[in-house]
């Protein structure tokens, strides 16, 4: 499932799963993934479970371009921001 944790120092960790439905760049919004946007910025975002390139990381989402031609792949993601 989708989870979010706010640490005492103000950092926010969000994580969950998403489904990539195309073998090209695909944008994901945190709100569509069951989260709110980061108030200020997303500092780091990582993905796992599928080879991919992450780009356009903002306080409201990110873009993933997976390096696989299979359809409908589920991947894990984790974002840290404030």
């Amino acid at each position: 499932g989708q989870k979010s944790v706010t640490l005492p120092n103000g950092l926010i960790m969000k994580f969950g799963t998403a489904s990539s439905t195309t073998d090209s760049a695909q944008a994901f919004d945190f709100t569509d993934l069951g989260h709110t946007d980061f108030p200020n910025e997303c500092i780091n975002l990582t993905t796992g479970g599928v080879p991919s390139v992450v780009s356009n990381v903002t306080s409201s989402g990110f873009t993933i371009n997976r390096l696989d031609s299979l359809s409908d792949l589920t991947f894990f993601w984790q974002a840290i921001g404030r």
Side-chain angles (χ1 to χ4, degrees), residues 12-76:
I12 304 166
M13 295 175 32
K14 300 176 186 282
F15 46 95
T17 60
S19 180
S20 175
T21 57
T22 181
D23 185 27
S24 61
Q26 185 175 359
F28 291 88
D29 292 328
F30 292 124
T31 54
D32 293 338
L33 296 171
H35 291 277
T36 58
D37 295 343
F38 285 101
N40 298 298
E41 64 181 332
C42 181
I43 299 168
N44 183 283
L45 188 126
T46 59
T47 61
V50 62
S52 62
V53 175
V54 176
S55 61
N56 300 328
V57 177
T58 68
S59 62
S60 61
F62 60 96
T63 299
I64 183 173
N65 191 348
R66 60 187 169 90
L67 308 174
D68 196 315
S69 61
L70 298 174
S71 62
D72 297 331
L73 291 176
T74 298
F75 64 94
F76 303 94

